Amino acid sequence: GTMQMCNANSTAGVELNTAQPMAGAKSLRILFDFGNETTAWQQWTFYAIPLVGVPRDLSSYAGVRVTLRSNQARAVRFDIDSPNNSAAMKGIQAGWDLSVSTEPKLFEVRFAEAKPPSWAADPGDSLAAILQTVTGLRFQPICNGRTLAGQLPEGTRDNGWLDVDDLTFF
C-alpha cells in the first residue's frame, strides 16, 4: 500500500479531492501541517505510492508526466523509490526538484535527468540499476517560511496541501 510519514511535530494525511479536482472527478490531495523540531531543517513529510508488481523495470521508459498544484508556491521533491537508492533511509534518492504553484502544471521529467536532492552528497548509485528495480514514486512537499536558521518563526506553522493528478509514464 501507500505510505506517508512526517516529522514528530508535523501532521500529514491524504484524501481524494472531489471538490476541486484538476482533471476528471478527483485528484489525490496530500495534506500537511509542518511544525518545528529541536534540530533545524527537520520539517518534512512524504507520500509514497507503490507500483503494481514490484520491482518494475522502467528502463524502457523515458520519464514521467504528472500534474501538480499546491495551496501556495512551494518546492516539491519527486523521487523514484528503489532498493538501489543506497541512501534512501537518509532521504536521498534519485529524483527531481520541482517548483509548484497554485495553478495546475504538467511536469514532464526525464529519468536520465534524475539526481539526488540538491542538499545531499551524491551517493554514486547507478541510475540504470535504480530504473531496473523501481518500487514506487514519492512526493515530498517542502516546508515554506523557514528562517535562514532552518526553523519556522516562533508560533508559526506551514499548513498546506499538494494535489497530484494524471500521472503517466512515457
Side-chain angles (χ1 to χ4, degrees):
T2 61
M3 178 174 58
Q4 186 167 38
M5 296 180 73
C6 65
N7 64 289
N9 287 323
S10 294
T11 59
V14 66
E15 66 184 20
L16 290 178
N17 175 8
T18 58
Q20 298 174 320
M22 291 186 288
K26 56 192 162 206
S27 297
L28 175 72
R29 178 162 282 183
I30 301 167
L31 305 158
F32 47 87
D33 185 35
F34 292 121
N36 287 331
E37 298 294 328
T38 304
T39 305
W41 305 104
Q42 293 302 305
Q43 311 87 348
W44 58 270
T45 188
F46 70 81
Y47 183 69
I49 302 170
L51 299 181
V52 175
V54 296
R56 298 286 303 270
D57 182 351
L58 298 183
S59 58
S60 64
Y61 291 91
V64 181
R65 289 184 189 102
V66 62
T67 301
L68 302 172
R69 79 170 165 207
S70 187
N71 64 306
Q72 59 181 278
R74 75 175 60 247
V76 172
R77 180 69 188 174
F78 179 37
D79 287 324
I80 305 165
D81 274 339
S82 167
N84 286 314
N85 281 309
S86 66
M89 294 303 288
K90 297 177 183 176
I92 303 169
Q93 299 189 103
W96 310 268
D97 295 312
L98 307 176
S99 295
V100 178
S101 75
T102 58
E103 295 299 318
K105 180 179 178 183
L106 176 64
F107 291 88
E108 183 175 287
V109 294
R110 300 201 167 271
F111 288 136
E113 297 168 357
K115 305 265 186 266
S118 57
W119 55 263
D122 188 340
D125 298 334
S126 163
L127 183 58
I130 290 168
L131 291 175
Q132 290 171 348
T133 57
V134 177
T135 57
L137 300 171
R138 182 178 297 215
F139 296 90
Q140 184 177 352
I142 306 301
C143 181
N144 278 347
R146 290 184 280 209
T147 66
L148 294 176
Q151 296 284 28
L152 291 164
E154 186 69 32
T156 65
R157 299 180 69 82
D158 178 11
N159 181 281
W161 49 263
L162 173 70
D163 282 345
V164 179
D165 210 333
D166 292 335
L167 192 141
T168 56
F169 297 103
F170 66 92

